[in-house]
């Protein structure tokens, strides 16, 4: 009996360590906004913070229906910036309870790391900042143990040169510092600069965080250090924050995530 308990505890420890490893690889996943309604093809912006730049290691699908009527649609992914990706498919979504499933390929199988209700996400008419030249080629990968319905396969994302160029752009403006005092909070700084940066207070806070992660203790957005200067966010960082409701939801999700550590 004691031997059985020891085995169970060992298995639980292994699973805990394994889940911790996956969490370290992907620190945040949430739906930023959706650019479609029911009975339309899916188009989503997803907040995706991972140590991996290569999206081929991840599998994005929409699940709808249940039982024998369950259908899975594989989505194509493009990076907008290091913290935001665009997902799109080519088949209408007819289930208001559809979910976005995100998996990572580990040990010759797909391991799910997130399942998010799609229609709980805010609707935005601002589509992803992509042009036709950024659409990826779509070769296919058939992993050894990938199990999907309706013969769906994982579509690879090819990082085209325009996207790669975007990824290489600096997050901050060189030789440009934000004016601040030691007593000022992130909110107060962002509120002062929001008009100048043509964004809202939540967008300004997110942009400051992206451009100055070194200035946040343990890289947590609610722990702004007093002894570090702040760089001005680059224009391509600020450009993604233009919808106050979406930006607020993104900020609150990131804040809740970091507060949980």
């Amino acid at each position: 009996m004691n031997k059985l308990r020891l085995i169970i505890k060992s298995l639980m420890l292994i699973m805990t360590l394994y889940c911790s490893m996956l969490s370290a690889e992907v620190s945040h996943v949430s739906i930023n906004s959706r650019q479609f309604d029911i009975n339309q093809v899916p188009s989503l912006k997803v907040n995706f913070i991972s140590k991996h730049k290569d999206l081929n290691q991840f599998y994005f699908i929409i699940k709808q229906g249940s039982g024998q009527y369950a259908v899975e649609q594989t989505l194509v992914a493009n990076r907008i910036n290091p913290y935001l990706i665009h997902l799109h498919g080519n088949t209408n979504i007819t289930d208001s309870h559809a979910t976005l499933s995100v998996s990572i390929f580990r040990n010759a199988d797909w391991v799910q790391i997130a399942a998010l209700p799609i229609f709980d996400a805010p609707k935005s008419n601002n589509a992803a900042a992509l042009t036709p030249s950024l659409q990826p080629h779509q070769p296919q990968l058939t992993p050894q143990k990938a199990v999907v319905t309706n013969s769906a396969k994982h579509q690879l994302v090819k990082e085209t040169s325009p996207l790669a160029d975007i990824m290489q752009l600096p997050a901050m403006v060189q030789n440009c510092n934000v004016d601040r005092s030691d007593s000022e909070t992130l909110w107060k700084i962002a509120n002062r600069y929001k008009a100048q940066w043509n964004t809202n207070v939540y967008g300004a806070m997110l942009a400051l965080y992206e451009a100055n992660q070194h200035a946040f203790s343990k890289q947590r957005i609610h722990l702004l250090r007093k002894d570090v200067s702040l760089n001005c966010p680059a224009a391509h960082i600020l450009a993604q924050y233009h919808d106050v409701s979406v930006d607020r939801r993104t900020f609150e999700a990131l804040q809740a995530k970091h507060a949980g550590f």
Side-chain angles (χ1 to χ4, degrees), residues 81-94:
N81 61 51
Y83 307 99
L84 193 67
I85 62 176
H86 177 242
L87 303 177
H88 67 91
N90 54 20
T91 304
N92 287 359
I93 302 302
T94 59

Side-chain angles (χ1 to χ4, degrees), residues 20-258:
S20 298
M21 289 172 60
L22 293 180
S23 296
E25 293 185 76
V26 181
S27 60
H28 180 74
V29 183
S30 64
I31 299 178
N32 180 292
S33 62
R34 57 184 171 87
Q35 286 77 50
F36 76 104
D37 287 313
I38 197 77
N39 296 320
Q40 294 180 345
V41 295
S43 177
L44 300 165
K45 283 184 182 178
V46 174
N47 304 308
F48 194 74
I49 304 176
S50 168
K51 71 176 186 179
H52 300 293
K53 291 184 178 180
D54 183 7
L55 293 177
N56 292 332
Q57 298 188 49
F58 301 98
Y59 185 28
F60 305 92
I61 63 173
I62 287 182
K63 297 182 178 180
Q64 56 179 331
S66 60
Q68 62 179 328
Y69 301 105
V71 176
E72 295 182 355
Q73 178 180 172
T74 304
L75 303 178
V76 174
N78 291 288
R79 278 199 183 277
I80 299 175
N81 61 51
Y83 307 99
L84 193 67
I85 62 176
H86 177 242
L87 303 177
H88 67 91
N90 54 20
T91 304
N92 287 359
I93 302 302
T94 59
D95 181 4
S96 61
H97 299 291
T99 59
L100 170 66
S101 174
V102 182
S103 300
I104 188 170
F105 192 61
R106 286 294 175 267
N107 299 323
D109 204 354
W110 292 105
V111 180
Q112 181 174 281
I113 57 177
L116 308 169
I118 291 173
F119 289 100
D120 283 357
K123 172 72 182 301
S124 172
N125 292 323
N126 297 310
L130 299 172
T131 65
S133 63
L134 299 184
Q135 297 304 316
H137 298 295
Q138 299 177 18
Q140 293 183 328
L141 167 68
T142 306
Q144 295 179 12
K145 295 184 180 180
V147 179
V148 295
T149 60
N150 294 342
S151 301
K153 296 181 179 179
H154 181 203
Q155 294 179 309
L156 290 181
V157 178
K158 182 176 179 62
E159 296 284 358
T160 59
S161 56
L163 278 177
D165 290 342
I166 292 173
M167 291 291 292
Q168 296 302 317
L169 290 174
M172 75 288 290
V173 179
Q174 296 297 325
N175 302 318
C176 177
N177 292 324
V178 172
D179 292 328
R180 60 169 298 194
S181 66
D182 290 344
S183 62
E184 283 188 307
T185 63
L186 178 62
W187 176 280
K188 189 170 183 178
I189 297 169
N191 196 51
R192 187 170 71 252
Y193 276 91
K194 64 182 182 181
Q196 178 179 332
W197 292 344
N198 195 30
T199 184
N200 55 80
V201 66
Y202 298 101
M205 287 192 292
L206 290 167
L208 282 167
Y209 176 72
E210 287 191 36
N212 298 277
Q213 290 200 27
H214 66 283
F216 294 81
S217 180
K218 300 180 181 179
Q219 295 188 337
R220 299 176 188 176
I221 199 167
H222 61 291
L223 298 178
L224 177 63
R225 295 169 56 183
K226 296 181 178 180
D227 58 339
V228 179
S229 62
L230 298 176
N231 295 304
C232 304
H236 72 279
I237 297 295
L238 291 167
Q240 67 182 298
Y241 299 118
H242 45 70
D243 187 321
V244 62
S245 62
V246 173
D247 296 343
R248 178 176 181 175
R249 190 180 180 95
T250 302
F251 174 80
E252 291 177 346
L254 191 59
Q255 187 179 49
K257 176 72 175 180
H258 289 178

Side-chain angles (χ1 to χ4, degrees), residues 1-17:
M1 188 68 178
N2 290 333
K3 186 176 181 180
L4 178 60
R5 288 178 179 174
L6 181 60
I7 292 174
I8 293 174
K9 287 183 178 180
S10 298
L11 289 173
M12 291 178 65
L13 178 60
I14 292 172
M15 288 301 297
T16 300
L17 291 174

